[in-house]
Amino acid sequence: MTGDMMTQARTPAGPAPPPLPPLLAARDLHAHYGGHHVLQGIDLDIAPGESLALLGRNGMGKTTTVRTLIGLKPASHGTILIDGRSATGLPPHRIARLGVALVPEGRGIFHNLTVQENLYVAARGGSGLGHRWDLDRVLALFPRLAERLDSPGTRLSGGEQQMLAIGRALMTNPRLLLLDEATEGLAPRVRGEIWSVIRTLKAEGVATVIVDKDLAQVLETCDRAAILVKGELAFSGRAAALAADRALQRRLLGV
Ligand SMILES: Nc1ncnc2c1ncn2[C@@H]1O[C@H](COP(=O)(O)OP(=O)(O)OP(=O)(O)O)[C@@H](O)[C@H]1O
Ligand SMILES: [Mg+2]
Protein backbone atom coordinates (compact mmCIF):
# COMPACT_ATOMS: atom_id res chain seq x y z
CA MET A 1 0.00 0.00 0.00
CA THR A 2 1.44 3.44 -0.85
CA GLY A 3 1.80 6.20 1.72
CA ASP A 4 -1.01 8.18 0.11
CA MET A 5 -3.47 5.31 0.37
CA MET A 6 -2.55 4.79 4.02
CA THR A 7 -3.28 8.46 4.71
CA GLN A 8 -6.59 8.20 2.91
CA ALA A 9 -7.57 5.06 4.82
CA ARG A 10 -6.87 6.82 8.14
CA THR A 11 -8.88 9.97 7.38
CA PRO A 12 -11.63 10.12 10.04
CA ALA A 13 -14.45 10.66 7.50
CA GLY A 14 -13.04 7.84 5.35
CA PRO A 15 -14.29 6.97 1.91
CA ALA A 16 -18.09 6.87 1.53
CA PRO A 17 -19.51 3.38 2.18
CA PRO A 18 -20.78 1.67 -0.97
CA PRO A 19 -24.55 2.18 -1.46
CA LEU A 20 -26.75 -0.74 -0.39
CA PRO A 21 -27.70 -2.94 -3.36
CA PRO A 22 -31.35 -2.83 -4.37
CA LEU A 23 -33.50 -5.49 -2.73
CA LEU A 24 -34.31 -6.72 -6.23
CA ALA A 25 -32.75 -5.80 -9.56
CA ALA A 26 -33.82 -7.23 -12.91
CA ARG A 27 -31.71 -6.64 -15.99
CA ASP A 28 -32.74 -7.21 -19.61
CA LEU A 29 -35.47 -9.72 -18.75
CA HIS A 30 -37.00 -11.56 -21.67
CA ALA A 31 -39.80 -14.14 -21.57
CA HIS A 32 -41.55 -16.18 -24.24
CA TYR A 33 -44.75 -18.19 -24.44
CA GLY A 34 -43.89 -20.58 -27.24
CA GLY A 35 -42.91 -18.34 -30.14
CA HIS A 36 -44.56 -15.29 -28.56
CA HIS A 37 -41.87 -12.90 -27.27
CA VAL A 38 -43.80 -11.41 -24.32
CA LEU A 39 -41.10 -9.59 -22.29
CA GLN A 40 -38.54 -7.83 -24.45
CA GLY A 41 -35.81 -6.58 -22.14
CA ILE A 42 -37.18 -5.28 -18.83
CA ASP A 43 -34.95 -3.49 -16.26
CA LEU A 44 -36.36 -2.97 -12.75
CA ASP A 45 -34.81 -1.88 -9.45
CA ILE A 46 -36.69 -2.12 -6.15
CA ALA A 47 -35.05 -0.61 -3.09
CA PRO A 48 -35.84 -1.94 0.39
CA GLY A 49 -39.25 -0.59 1.48
CA GLU A 50 -39.98 0.99 -1.89
CA SER A 51 -43.29 0.59 -3.73
CA LEU A 52 -43.52 0.36 -7.51
CA ALA A 53 -46.71 0.60 -9.56
CA LEU A 54 -46.40 -1.76 -12.54
CA LEU A 55 -48.85 -0.51 -15.14
CA GLY A 56 -49.94 -1.20 -18.70
CA ARG A 57 -53.01 -2.01 -20.77
CA ASN A 58 -54.33 -5.57 -20.96
CA GLY A 59 -51.88 -8.13 -22.29
CA MET A 60 -48.81 -5.89 -22.09
CA GLY A 61 -46.86 -8.27 -19.82
CA LYS A 62 -47.54 -7.22 -16.19
CA THR A 63 -48.46 -10.70 -14.93
CA THR A 64 -45.62 -12.27 -16.90
CA THR A 65 -43.21 -9.79 -15.28
CA VAL A 66 -44.22 -10.61 -11.70
CA ARG A 67 -44.30 -14.35 -12.48
CA THR A 68 -40.79 -14.07 -13.90
CA LEU A 69 -39.54 -12.12 -10.86
CA ILE A 70 -40.69 -14.89 -8.52
CA GLY A 71 -39.45 -17.73 -10.72
CA LEU A 72 -42.81 -19.16 -11.80
CA LYS A 73 -42.02 -18.25 -15.40
CA PRO A 74 -38.34 -18.80 -16.16
CA ALA A 75 -36.78 -15.86 -18.03
CA SER A 76 -35.50 -16.81 -21.47
CA HIS A 77 -32.76 -14.20 -21.07
CA GLY A 78 -31.59 -11.69 -18.46
CA THR A 79 -30.64 -11.64 -14.79
CA ILE A 80 -32.39 -11.21 -11.45
CA LEU A 81 -30.41 -10.13 -8.39
CA ILE A 82 -31.75 -10.21 -4.84
CA ASP A 83 -29.59 -8.28 -2.34
CA GLY A 84 -26.98 -8.08 -5.09
CA ARG A 85 -26.74 -11.86 -5.47
CA SER A 86 -27.89 -13.85 -8.46
CA ALA A 87 -31.37 -15.32 -8.21
CA THR A 88 -31.63 -15.99 -11.94
CA GLY A 89 -33.24 -19.34 -12.67
CA LEU A 90 -34.06 -20.14 -9.04
CA PRO A 91 -37.36 -21.99 -8.48
CA PRO A 92 -40.18 -20.09 -6.70
CA HIS A 93 -39.65 -21.71 -3.30
CA ARG A 94 -36.00 -20.60 -3.27
CA ILE A 95 -36.98 -17.04 -4.23
CA ALA A 96 -39.65 -17.10 -1.50
CA ARG A 97 -36.93 -18.01 0.98
CA LEU A 98 -35.06 -14.86 -0.05
CA GLY A 99 -38.08 -12.82 1.06
CA VAL A 100 -40.22 -12.34 -2.06
CA ALA A 101 -43.94 -13.30 -2.09
CA LEU A 102 -46.67 -13.12 -4.72
CA VAL A 103 -50.39 -12.50 -4.37
CA PRO A 104 -51.28 -13.96 -7.76
CA GLU A 105 -53.91 -12.78 -10.22
CA GLY A 106 -56.95 -14.97 -9.49
CA ARG A 107 -55.91 -15.37 -5.82
CA GLY A 108 -54.40 -18.87 -5.88
CA ILE A 109 -55.72 -20.08 -2.54
CA PHE A 110 -56.40 -23.76 -1.82
CA HIS A 111 -60.18 -24.10 -2.10
CA ASN A 112 -60.30 -27.49 -0.39
CA LEU A 113 -58.41 -26.21 2.67
CA THR A 114 -59.87 -24.07 5.46
CA VAL A 115 -58.76 -20.51 6.10
CA GLN A 116 -56.54 -21.67 8.96
CA GLU A 117 -55.00 -24.48 6.88
CA ASN A 118 -54.34 -22.10 3.99
CA LEU A 119 -52.48 -19.77 6.34
CA TYR A 120 -50.52 -22.51 8.08
CA VAL A 121 -49.28 -24.19 4.90
CA ALA A 122 -47.80 -20.86 3.80
CA ALA A 123 -46.08 -20.07 7.13
CA ARG A 124 -42.36 -19.48 7.11
CA GLY A 125 -40.18 -17.46 9.46
CA GLY A 126 -37.67 -14.72 9.15
CA SER A 127 -37.79 -11.85 6.67
CA GLY A 128 -35.04 -9.93 8.40
CA LEU A 129 -37.39 -6.98 8.91
CA GLY A 130 -37.68 -7.57 12.63
CA HIS A 131 -41.43 -8.13 12.85
CA ARG A 132 -42.70 -11.55 12.09
CA TRP A 133 -46.04 -12.34 10.57
CA ASP A 134 -47.87 -15.17 12.24
CA LEU A 135 -51.47 -16.31 12.42
CA ASP A 136 -52.38 -13.81 15.17
CA ARG A 137 -50.99 -10.81 13.31
CA VAL A 138 -52.65 -11.80 10.03
CA LEU A 139 -55.99 -12.24 11.80
CA ALA A 140 -55.56 -8.88 13.53
CA LEU A 141 -55.02 -7.32 10.10
CA PHE A 142 -58.03 -9.15 8.62
CA PRO A 143 -60.55 -9.66 11.45
CA ARG A 144 -62.97 -11.13 8.92
CA LEU A 145 -60.70 -14.10 8.41
CA ALA A 146 -60.73 -14.74 12.15
CA GLU A 147 -64.48 -15.34 11.94
CA ARG A 148 -63.99 -17.78 9.04
CA LEU A 149 -61.03 -19.81 10.30
CA ASP A 150 -62.71 -23.18 9.78
CA SER A 151 -64.45 -22.34 6.51
CA PRO A 152 -63.14 -23.98 3.36
CA GLY A 153 -61.84 -21.64 0.66
CA THR A 154 -64.90 -22.44 -1.46
CA ARG A 155 -67.23 -20.79 1.09
CA LEU A 156 -65.44 -17.44 1.16
CA SER A 157 -66.65 -14.29 -0.56
CA GLY A 158 -64.38 -12.74 -3.19
CA GLY A 159 -63.11 -10.18 -0.70
CA GLU A 160 -62.39 -12.83 1.92
CA GLN A 161 -60.53 -14.93 -0.66
CA GLN A 162 -58.41 -11.92 -1.55
CA MET A 163 -57.66 -11.21 2.11
CA LEU A 164 -56.69 -14.87 2.52
CA ALA A 165 -54.40 -14.64 -0.52
CA ILE A 166 -52.65 -11.60 1.02
CA GLY A 167 -52.57 -13.28 4.44
CA ARG A 168 -50.93 -16.34 2.90
CA ALA A 169 -48.26 -14.19 1.27
CA LEU A 170 -47.60 -12.39 4.59
CA MET A 171 -47.20 -15.72 6.41
CA THR A 172 -44.02 -16.20 4.35
CA ASN A 173 -42.66 -13.02 6.02
CA PRO A 174 -41.72 -11.24 2.80
CA ARG A 175 -39.53 -8.17 2.38
CA LEU A 176 -40.99 -7.71 -1.10
CA LEU A 177 -44.64 -8.40 -1.86
CA LEU A 178 -45.81 -8.64 -5.48
CA LEU A 179 -49.55 -7.88 -5.73
CA ASP A 180 -51.16 -8.77 -9.08
CA GLU A 181 -54.67 -7.26 -9.31
CA ALA A 182 -55.30 -7.68 -5.59
CA THR A 183 -58.41 -5.46 -5.64
CA GLU A 184 -59.89 -6.86 -8.87
CA GLY A 185 -63.61 -7.55 -8.77
CA LEU A 186 -64.15 -6.45 -5.17
CA ALA A 187 -66.80 -4.14 -3.74
CA PRO A 188 -65.54 -0.57 -3.13
CA ARG A 189 -65.54 -0.96 0.66
CA VAL A 190 -63.49 -4.17 0.48
CA ARG A 191 -61.11 -2.55 -2.02
CA GLY A 192 -60.65 0.25 0.51
CA GLU A 193 -59.74 -2.30 3.18
CA ILE A 194 -57.14 -3.91 0.92
CA TRP A 195 -55.55 -0.51 0.10
CA SER A 196 -55.44 0.29 3.79
CA VAL A 197 -53.58 -2.99 4.44
CA ILE A 198 -51.14 -2.19 1.63
CA ARG A 199 -50.41 1.20 3.25
CA THR A 200 -49.83 -0.51 6.60
CA LEU A 201 -47.34 -2.90 5.00
CA LYS A 202 -45.56 0.00 3.33
CA ALA A 203 -45.31 1.84 6.64
CA GLU A 204 -43.70 -1.28 8.11
CA GLY A 205 -41.01 -1.30 5.45
CA VAL A 206 -42.31 -4.08 3.20
CA ALA A 207 -41.43 -3.27 -0.43
CA THR A 208 -44.23 -3.79 -2.96
CA VAL A 209 -44.78 -4.14 -6.69
CA ILE A 210 -48.43 -3.35 -7.30
CA VAL A 211 -50.37 -4.20 -10.47
CA ASP A 212 -53.82 -2.62 -10.24
CA LYS A 213 -56.44 -1.08 -12.51
CA ASP A 214 -57.24 1.76 -10.07
CA LEU A 215 -54.69 4.21 -11.46
CA ALA A 216 -55.40 7.08 -9.07
CA GLN A 217 -55.16 4.86 -6.00
CA VAL A 218 -52.06 2.95 -7.11
CA LEU A 219 -50.20 6.15 -8.03
CA GLU A 220 -51.13 7.75 -4.73
CA THR A 221 -49.87 4.68 -2.85
CA CYS A 222 -46.61 4.06 -4.74
CA ASP A 223 -43.25 5.87 -4.84
CA ARG A 224 -42.41 4.98 -8.43
CA ALA A 225 -44.23 3.77 -11.51
CA ALA A 226 -43.31 1.75 -14.59
CA ILE A 227 -45.47 1.34 -17.69
CA LEU A 228 -45.21 -1.68 -19.96
CA VAL A 229 -46.10 -1.40 -23.62
CA LYS A 230 -45.84 -4.68 -25.55
CA GLY A 231 -43.33 -6.15 -23.15
CA GLU A 232 -41.04 -3.10 -23.00
CA LEU A 233 -40.81 -0.30 -20.42
CA ALA A 234 -42.24 2.82 -22.00
CA PHE A 235 -42.05 4.88 -18.78
CA SER A 236 -40.17 4.59 -15.52
CA GLY A 237 -40.20 7.43 -13.00
CA ARG A 238 -41.82 9.00 -9.97
CA ALA A 239 -45.45 7.97 -9.42
CA ALA A 240 -46.30 11.63 -8.69
CA ALA A 241 -44.86 12.69 -12.06
CA LEU A 242 -47.07 10.21 -13.89
CA ALA A 243 -50.10 11.20 -11.78
CA ALA A 244 -49.61 14.80 -12.91
CA ASP A 245 -49.18 13.97 -16.61
CA ARG A 246 -52.59 13.23 -18.09
CA ALA A 247 -51.26 13.27 -21.66
CA LEU A 248 -48.72 10.55 -20.85
CA GLN A 249 -51.39 8.47 -19.12
CA ARG A 250 -53.63 8.78 -22.17
CA ARG A 251 -50.84 7.87 -24.58
CA LEU A 252 -49.44 4.86 -22.72
CA LEU A 253 -52.44 3.61 -20.73
CA GLY A 254 -55.37 4.79 -22.84
CA VAL A 255 -57.17 6.35 -19.85
N1 LIG B 1 -49.94 -19.01 -20.45
C1 LIG B 1 -49.83 -18.28 -21.57
N2 LIG B 1 -49.68 -18.86 -22.77
C2 LIG B 1 -49.56 -18.13 -23.90
N3 LIG B 1 -49.60 -16.78 -23.93
C3 LIG B 1 -49.76 -16.14 -22.77
C4 LIG B 1 -49.88 -16.86 -21.53
N4 LIG B 1 -50.03 -15.94 -20.53
C5 LIG B 1 -50.00 -14.73 -21.12
N5 LIG B 1 -49.83 -14.84 -22.45
C6 LIG B 1 -49.73 -13.74 -23.42
O1 LIG B 1 -48.65 -12.92 -23.02
C7 LIG B 1 -48.97 -11.55 -23.16
C8 LIG B 1 -48.80 -10.84 -21.82
O2 LIG B 1 -49.74 -11.38 -20.90
P1 LIG B 1 -49.81 -10.94 -19.38
O3 LIG B 1 -50.79 -11.84 -18.73
O4 LIG B 1 -48.44 -10.89 -18.84
O5 LIG B 1 -50.37 -9.46 -19.52
P2 LIG B 1 -51.01 -8.50 -18.43
O6 LIG B 1 -50.37 -7.17 -18.67
O7 LIG B 1 -50.90 -9.08 -17.09
O8 LIG B 1 -52.53 -8.41 -18.90
P3 LIG B 1 -53.89 -8.22 -18.03
O9 LIG B 1 -53.99 -6.74 -17.76
O10 LIG B 1 -54.95 -8.67 -18.97
O11 LIG B 1 -53.80 -9.05 -16.79
C9 LIG B 1 -50.39 -11.49 -23.71
O12 LIG B 1 -50.31 -11.35 -25.10
C10 LIG B 1 -50.96 -12.84 -23.34
O13 LIG B 1 -51.92 -13.23 -24.27
MG1 LIG C 1 -52.29 -9.72 -15.70
Side-chain angles (χ1 to χ4, degrees):
M1 196 181 267
T2 69
D4 275 347
M5 285 172 80
M6 292 286 284
T7 314
Q8 199 178 26
R10 284 193 191 140
T11 308
L20 283 176
L23 198 173
L24 184 143
R27 288 291 171 274
D28 199 25
L29 278 189
H30 291 252
H32 291 74
Y33 287 108
H36 188 179
H37 193 177
V38 175
L39 297 187
Q40 306 194 12
I42 306 286
D43 291 333
L44 289 176
D45 281 300
I46 320 249
E50 188 175 44
S51 54
L52 173 74
L54 183 60
L55 307 168
R57 297 185 212 195
N58 288 341
M60 292 298 180
K62 304 178 297 292
T63 294
T64 307
T65 300
V66 295
R67 285 174 55 85
T68 303
L69 293 180
I70 202 154
L72 282 167
K73 168 81 186 151
S76 39
H77 179 85
T79 55
I80 297 171
L81 301 178
I82 296 177
D83 299 323
R85 277 172 296 194
S86 177
T88 314
L90 290 184
H93 68 275
R94 295 277 307 279
I95 295 190
R97 232 181 278 155
L98 297 173
V100 183
L102 170 68
V103 177
E105 198 173 26
R107 294 158 196 164
I109 61 171
F110 295 115
H111 290 278
N112 53 335
L113 299 186
T114 66
V115 166
Q116 180 157 244
E117 288 163 345
N118 263 284
L119 292 171
Y120 274 141
V121 295
R124 201 171 42 73
S127 68
L129 274 182
H131 51 262
R132 296 193 32 175
W133 290 93
D134 55 18
L135 188 65
D136 288 345
R137 281 205 69 207
V138 167
L139 297 181
L141 196 64
F142 295 116
R144 264 208 269 166
L145 293 182
E147 297 162 19
R148 298 273 189 284
L149 268 187
D150 298 320
S151 301
T154 41
R155 298 261 183 81
L156 302 178
S157 70
E160 288 160 355
Q161 287 182 22
Q162 194 61 68
M163 290 171 192
L164 181 54
I166 296 173
R168 279 177 50 83
L170 292 177
M171 291 292 279
T172 71
N173 277 288
R175 294 179 297 150
L176 170 61
L177 185 61
L178 312 171
L179 294 143
D180 193 359
E181 312 276 9
T183 67
E184 173 96 49
L186 302 180
R189 192 174 47 79
V190 183
R191 281 207 301 268
E193 285 177 41
I194 303 274
W195 283 112
S196 152
V197 165
I198 292 171
R199 283 192 297 273
T200 302
L201 297 176
K202 184 170 160 56
E204 296 199 357
V206 179
T208 46
V209 172
I210 307 179
V211 178
D212 202 279
K213 298 224 158 55
D214 186 341
L215 184 65
Q217 183 69 68
V218 75
L219 290 180
E220 194 186 309
T221 306
C222 288
D223 307 307
R224 287 193 304 120
I227 301 181
L228 284 170
V229 175
K230 294 186 183 157
E232 290 185 87
L233 283 182
F235 170 87
S236 177
R238 307 293 310 165
L242 178 58
D245 194 338
R246 294 284 300 151
L248 189 65
Q249 293 173 23
R250 215 169 302 125
R251 184 157 61 81
L252 298 181
L253 298 169
V255 292

